[in-house]
Amino acid sequence: IKTTLKNAEEAQKKSEKLLKELENKENLLISYNEELKQLVEVCPGDQNTLLTLQENLSFVRDKWNKYREYSTYIGESKEIVKKFKEELNGKKDEKVFLEKEINEINDSIKKLETENLAHILRESLLEGEPCPVCGSKDHNRDEIKNFDSSNLAQLKLDLSSGEEKYKLLTEKTIKLETTIKSEEENIQGNELKISELGEEFKAASVEVLENEFNRLRDSINIFNAKKIDLDKKIKALSEEKSNLGIEYGKENTRLIENKRQSEKLQEDFTVIDEEFQRINEKLAALKIELAIEDFESKSQEISKKEKEKTTLEKEIKVLRDSLKNKLLQKETLSKSLGILREDLREKKTTL
């Protein structure tokens, strides 16, 4: 009973200790869950939010990149157009000047060729015959000047050189005009592309969106790290609480069992005590009836006699066994003696 009561007391103390630990774990678990709830309420967003912002950032960045690219192309084309127009104007002025020079050379060549024809005609006139041009018969040959053909040849060389330069200028002019036209078409095309980009993207700054994206990403990473940490703590604490609950249940069951055993033992003790009182009363009556005061001494005496009886019985058994062995030996010797007598009789007969 004392052992059972001691076990019950130990189970009671351990059960109370486990219950206190269980309550502490429960309070801590409530605190962690409340912290997690508050954290979730201020959640900055999830991966979908971040993905949406990233897509918007990529969209705006792409628009701005294209806008800058097209604007750069337009600026480069305008510079080329400006440069080539200046060069074209110079070539056109040069072409006008050269065209005027060629015309003057042509006029000079025509004049010299006319003079040359007139000179040849005069040279071919005969005295007394009328001039086929003016009809005069007086040709005045002394007044005819000698014609210098070297001037005409030089003019023709100058004309050929001028016409070649004019041709090259024309080709350069056409090339410049073609390039200018192509660049102006590029300008129009890029301006159309810029127009197609719209104006909506200009309301958002890439730098602002990048800062917003980085801030949101960092906030989500911090949120996820805190949430993961809290989830781990809650899981570990829940497992500890569960284990404590199981252990508390076992100890509580043990406590109840010890109390039940204690109560059962107490009941058994009461029954035994009553039985002891009853037997004690019978013993007292028996003492009076048999006139024996000390049952214990009498019991020892009886026990001693029983032991002596047992010892004597063992000695008698040993003697009986010894007698049995002696009888067996006697029987064996008798048989041997009979055999010897029979052998002796046979030998006497033989003799």
Side-chain angles (χ1 to χ4, degrees), residues 332-345:
T332 303
L333 289 171
S334 294
K335 286 180 180 181
S336 297
L337 182 60
I339 292 168
L340 288 172
R341 283 177 178 176
E342 185 67 31
D343 288 342
L344 181 61
R345 191 182 301 120

Side-chain angles (χ1 to χ4, degrees), residues 95-322:
K95 189 177 176 183
V96 169
F97 177 79
L98 188 58
E99 187 176 7
K100 181 180 178 182
E101 191 177 76
I102 289 171
N103 289 334
E104 288 176 353
I105 292 172
N106 271 325
D107 290 342
S108 297
I109 288 172
K110 288 177 181 179
K111 182 179 179 181
L112 286 174
E113 286 179 342
T114 301
E115 289 178 357
N116 185 34
L117 287 172
H119 177 74
I120 292 170
L121 181 60
R122 286 176 182 176
E123 286 291 332
S124 64
L125 289 176
L126 298 174
E127 287 293 336
E129 290 183 0
C131 175
V133 178
C134 63
S136 175
K137 292 182 179 180
D138 185 10
H139 302 306
N140 297 320
R141 289 178 175 274
D142 295 334
E143 295 179 0
I144 296 174
K145 297 179 180 179
N146 291 327
F147 179 75
D148 188 358
S149 61
S150 61
N151 289 335
L152 181 59
Q154 184 60 47
L155 286 172
K156 286 184 177 181
L157 289 173
D158 292 342
L159 177 62
S160 177
S161 175
E163 287 176 343
E164 184 63 28
K165 287 181 181 180
Y166 188 84
K167 180 182 177 183
L168 292 174
L169 278 173
T170 302
E171 290 175 354
K172 287 183 180 180
T173 301
I174 293 171
K175 186 176 180 181
L176 286 170
E177 288 174 343
T178 302
T179 303
I180 289 169
K181 183 179 179 182
S182 175
E183 292 299 328
E184 287 176 342
E185 288 174 353
N186 288 339
I187 291 171
Q188 291 176 357
N190 287 314
E191 285 176 344
L192 179 61
K193 289 179 180 178
I194 288 177
S195 176
E196 290 172 350
L197 291 175
E199 297 293 327
E200 184 181 354
F201 73 95
K202 293 181 181 179
S205 167
V206 173
E207 184 178 359
V208 171
L209 287 176
E210 284 179 344
N211 291 335
E212 184 180 351
F213 174 80
N214 292 332
R215 181 191 60 76
L216 179 61
R217 181 191 60 198
D218 294 342
S219 298
I220 289 175
N221 288 338
I222 293 171
F223 169 83
N224 288 335
K226 287 183 178 179
K227 186 175 182 300
I228 289 170
D229 182 57
L230 281 173
D231 286 338
K232 286 181 178 178
K233 287 181 178 178
I234 290 171
K235 182 180 178 182
L237 199 58
S238 297
E239 290 176 356
E240 290 176 10
K241 180 189 169 188
S242 177
N243 293 333
L244 280 174
I246 293 170
E247 191 174 353
Y248 173 75
K250 289 179 179 178
E251 289 300 323
N252 207 35
T253 302
R254 181 183 167 195
L255 175 62
I256 294 170
E257 182 62 25
N258 283 329
K259 284 183 177 180
R260 189 188 65 76
Q261 289 181 4
S262 177
E263 291 171 357
K264 180 68 170 57
L265 287 171
Q266 190 65 41
E267 290 174 359
D268 293 344
F269 177 78
T270 302
V271 172
I272 292 168
D273 186 58
E274 291 174 354
E275 182 67 17
F276 176 77
Q277 293 297 332
R278 188 182 63 79
I279 292 171
N280 202 29
E281 289 173 359
K282 287 180 70 177
L283 180 63
L286 190 61
K287 282 180 179 181
I288 295 170
E289 183 180 348
L290 299 175
I292 298 174
E293 292 295 331
D294 192 354
F295 273 94
E296 186 176 353
S297 298
K298 197 66 176 178
S299 176
Q300 289 177 357
E301 183 181 347
I302 292 169
S303 178
K304 183 179 180 182
K305 288 182 179 181
E306 286 291 331
K307 287 180 180 179
E308 289 175 356
K309 178 185 174 184
T310 302
T311 302
L312 289 171
E313 285 177 348
K314 286 181 179 179
E315 290 177 357
I316 290 168
K317 185 178 182 300
V318 170
L319 289 172
R320 283 177 179 173
D321 291 340
S322 178

